[in-house]
Amino acid sequence: MKLHEYQAKRVFAEAGIPTPDAELAETVDAAVDAAEAIGYPVAIKAQVQVGGRGKAGGIKLVDDADEAREAADEILGMDLKGYHVDRVLVEEAVDFTNELYVGVTMDRGEGKPVAMVSTRGGVNIEEVAAEDPDAIAREHVDPAFGMHPYQARKAVYDAGVDRDVANDVASVLTTLYDLWEAKDGSDAEINPLMVTSDDEVIAADAVMNIDGDALFRQPELAEMQEEAAEDDLEAKANDYGFDYVRLDGNVGIIGNGAGLVMTTLDLVDHYGGAPANFLDIGGGAKAERVTNALDMVFSDENVDAVVFNIFGGITRGDEVAQGINEALEQFDEIPKRVVVRLAGTNAEEGMEILNTDLVTVEKTLEDAVQRAVEYAEEDS
């Protein structure tokens, strides 16, 4: 479960992490009233869970009521990378001299939580990690003991944070880890953590993702779940009972089994494509379930081609193939080209059953992924 920025900031502020004054608004008039109450300049920020909001026009800095009205009118109702904006956060602008990054997540390679600090805040931290990994200081934490104060100080020191704010940044990092642990977090980060001219630190952004399987232990966060619903597709996935995550690419992916889907995602990336989603339809692939999955992927405007990766276990490959045929025959017009790869029980029989007027059939996963990537490039 992903919290919106305003929700995460609420959680952070309650824990003692400094955040700017802010109000949530759903209309242009409410946004202007909020800006007047907070005092200019303010930032008006689209509340959708997607990166790069500023570059996409979803964050604007304004100095007066006319600018606030114009910015709110532009942002509310806009389509931001496939997400409809129906709320904005009107927030006190921060006069900063530096931007830092702090975050906590699980390092599955090490089997431990990891706390991270960087002086390269305010930019895509994934790009920093890929281009200059040494720019991010990392400190692994033993979950049995939690983060020791010296570990927070060491991460801040290793990152090269200025001494004047080092203790405050270490305090924020410690609080962030405590929240991550107490709230059953999967990711928690502040990017940027702004440093002001008075050597104060303020969380100008906030990310808090919660382990959905642990929400029964977090009733106050579970109440935010419907409010934090990301888009119609994810709501639809919940109705269908699918494990679904929306991504930024244009190759739609459907599979039965999380490992199989993850492998497909990795191969799409390996062959130069960009995955549009993670969609695990689970056991079985009867016509209704396949239809629902295709309906979801076809509904994503970013998708230009689809790869269907199914391993027949208890469900036989010929049954899967029949389900795919029946599902596609229900569409008057197939909006995206579909590539299918079957393996496992009765896979050969299934490949023969598949209607090649409706789908492209490939024998290996590598061939299927490469074909889907090619289709996506052609149709984008």
Side-chain angles (χ1 to χ4, degrees):
M1 170 190 165
K2 297 181 180 180
L3 298 185
H4 281 290
E5 176 191 5
Y6 74 90
Q7 295 171 321
K9 279 183 173 172
R10 187 187 308 162
V11 174
F12 289 3
E14 290 173 354
I17 294 176
T19 60
D21 290 339
E23 289 187 28
L24 191 68
E26 297 184 2
T27 67
V28 173
D29 288 341
V32 175
D33 290 344
E36 295 283 340
I38 293 169
Y40 297 101
V42 298
I44 298 181
K45 310 168 77 174
Q47 292 303 282
V48 291
Q49 294 157 333
V50 63
R53 289 176 299 167
K55 292 181 180 179
I59 298 177
K60 295 184 183 293
L61 191 66
V62 300
D63 294 315
D64 56 43
D66 290 339
E67 291 183 5
R69 182 171 297 279
E70 182 180 354
D73 187 56
E74 289 180 5
I75 295 173
L76 282 167
M78 75 182 298
D79 183 273
L80 189 62
K81 296 186 177 181
Y83 293 80
H84 178 75
V85 179
D86 58 7
R87 287 166 289 186
V88 293
L89 187 66
V90 182
E91 184 174 84
E92 173 191 13
V94 178
D95 184 14
F96 65 94
T97 59
N98 198 6
E99 294 178 292
L100 309 176
Y101 167 88
V102 295
V104 179
T105 190
M106 177 62 72
D107 185 338
R108 302 196 181 278
E110 293 290 331
K112 293 181 180 180
V114 60
M116 299 169 288
V117 182
S118 177
T119 56
R120 301 269 297 275
V123 297
N124 189 323
I125 199 65
E126 287 80 8
E127 292 180 3
V128 175
E131 297 170 2
D132 187 10
D134 292 338
I136 304 174
R138 298 170 174 84
E139 190 69 21
H140 287 91
V141 180
D142 188 331
F145 299 100
M147 176 179 282
H148 296 292
Y150 81 86
Q151 290 182 294
R153 293 194 298 268
K154 182 176 182 298
V156 170
Y157 175 82
D158 289 346
V161 173
D162 190 275
R163 182 174 296 183
D164 292 336
V165 296
N167 286 337
D168 288 340
V169 176
S171 177
V172 168
L173 182 61
T174 300
T175 303
L176 193 66
Y177 178 85
D178 291 343
L179 277 173
W180 178 86
E181 182 179 47
K183 302 296 186 182
D184 289 297
S186 55
D187 303 287
E189 65 179 22
I190 302 171
N191 186 24
L193 179 68
M194 288 182 169
V195 180
T196 72
S197 57
D198 297 327
D199 289 334
E200 296 180 347
V201 294
I202 298 178
D205 195 11
V207 171
M208 187 78 181
N209 299 331
I210 311 301
D211 182 350
D213 292 331
L215 282 177
F216 70 94
R217 289 198 295 258
Q218 306 293 340
E220 76 287 357
L221 297 180
E223 291 178 359
M224 301 179 185
Q225 185 170 23
E226 182 175 349
E227 186 181 357
E230 292 167 277
D231 59 15
D232 292 340
L233 286 178
E234 297 210 351
K236 189 179 290 187
N238 289 331
D239 292 340
Y240 288 154
F242 295 149
D243 288 326
Y244 174 84
V245 179
R246 191 174 189 177
L247 303 172
D248 294 332
N250 65 343
V251 179
I253 296 171
I254 303 172
N256 62 334
L260 202 65
V261 179
M262 286 300 298
T263 299
T264 312
L265 263 73
D266 288 342
L267 280 173
V268 169
D269 181 73
H270 175 73
Y271 287 116
N277 64 271
F278 172 103
L279 177 52
D280 175 13
I281 63 175
K286 302 294 185 181
E288 180 181 4
R289 200 158 180 81
V290 174
T291 301
N292 292 341
L294 287 169
D295 174 52
M296 284 194 58
V297 177
F298 288 164
S299 298
D300 187 343
E301 295 180 355
N302 293 332
V303 171
D304 293 314
V306 181
V307 58
F308 221 120
N309 184 17
I310 297 293
F311 185 88
I314 297 174
T315 302
R316 303 194 314 268
D318 52 344
E319 292 179 341
V320 174
Q322 189 60 42
I324 293 173
N325 286 343
E326 292 177 10
L328 289 172
E329 286 168 359
Q330 295 181 38
F331 292 91
D332 294 332
E333 182 179 350
I334 300 173
K336 324 282 184 180
R337 287 192 279 185
V338 179
V339 184
V340 178
R341 172 262 190 177
L342 290 177
T345 307
N346 286 11
E348 291 185 4
E349 292 85 345
M351 298 289 262
E352 294 176 358
I353 291 173
L354 283 168
N355 185 342
T356 54
D357 290 333
L358 303 176
V359 301
T360 299
V361 178
E362 296 289 351
K363 291 185 178 180
T364 69
L365 176 56
E366 290 80 0
D367 289 342
V369 168
Q370 288 184 75
R371 182 62 64 92
V373 170
E374 290 172 3
Y375 284 166
E377 290 175 350
E378 292 172 4
D379 297 339
S380 62

